[in-house]
Amino acid sequence: MRIDRNRRGAGKVLYRNAWVTTHTIDDETVIDIAASGRCRWKIENENNNVLKNYGYYFDHNFGCGQQHLANLMATLVLLAYLLYTTLDWVDTYYRTVRGLLPSRRIFFEHLRALAVFSSRRHWGHLMRFMVKGLNGTIPGTG
């Protein structure tokens, strides 16, 4: 299926794309199907961009090992991404620390240094220490 959209009537083609679909494509469904395809593409590109460029180094892991190490490394990166995404949803301290730092990469650098040199007992102590050190306040606590 090729979609050619011409916004000015008789002029040059401004947009061209191709999708494989089992949906019936006609004049009534083509706009919704194209919008869905673009939305999915945008989500995939944003996730891949985060995994590659914002502290996860996803592209670096491919090519390691001779059989299964590359797959294991890719799986561990995806699990880390899932963990930090979940923490962003459920952990107020984590969300606050991330908001106080300029980037995810800086967060990982701080976390790495504190994990090596700190004797914090658990995650909560570490996050509270980071919030305090960054002169932040937890929403709802004043």
Side-chain angles (χ1 to χ4, degrees), residues 38-99:
R38 280 189 222 106
C39 183
R40 182 176 176 182
W41 189 11
K42 180 179 183 279
I43 291 168
E44 289 175 3
N45 284 341
E46 287 173 356
N47 285 336
N48 291 341
N49 184 39
V50 168
L51 288 171
K52 183 177 177 186
N53 299 315
Y54 293 96
Y56 293 98
Y57 306 105
F58 191 68
D59 62 335
H60 174 73
N61 295 310
F62 292 104
C64 299
Q66 295 188 2
Q67 285 189 330
H68 304 292
L69 184 58
N71 288 337
L72 175 63
M73 295 300 290
T75 301
L76 291 174
V77 167
L78 291 172
L79 285 172
Y81 181 59
L82 176 63
L83 171 71
Y84 289 113
T85 301
T86 303
L87 280 172
D88 195 43
W89 293 338
V90 300
D91 189 339
T92 305
Y93 286 98
Y94 170 78
R95 195 168 40 253
T96 302
V97 170
R98 284 279 298 117

Side-chain angles (χ1 to χ4, degrees), residues 6-54:
N6 195 348
R7 294 188 183 165
R8 294 187 192 134
K12 83 177 192 183
V13 174
L14 299 177
Y15 179 77
R16 179 175 289 154
N17 207 337
W19 288 290
V20 175
T21 181
T22 58
H23 296 289
T24 303
I25 299 176
D26 56 31
D27 290 341
E28 294 177 17
T29 61
V30 69
I31 293 173
D32 290 336
I33 290 171
S36 297
R38 280 189 222 106
C39 183
R40 182 176 176 182
W41 189 11
K42 180 179 183 279
I43 291 168
E44 289 175 3
N45 284 341
E46 287 173 356
N47 285 336
N48 291 341
N49 184 39
V50 168
L51 288 171
K52 183 177 177 186
N53 299 315
Y54 293 96

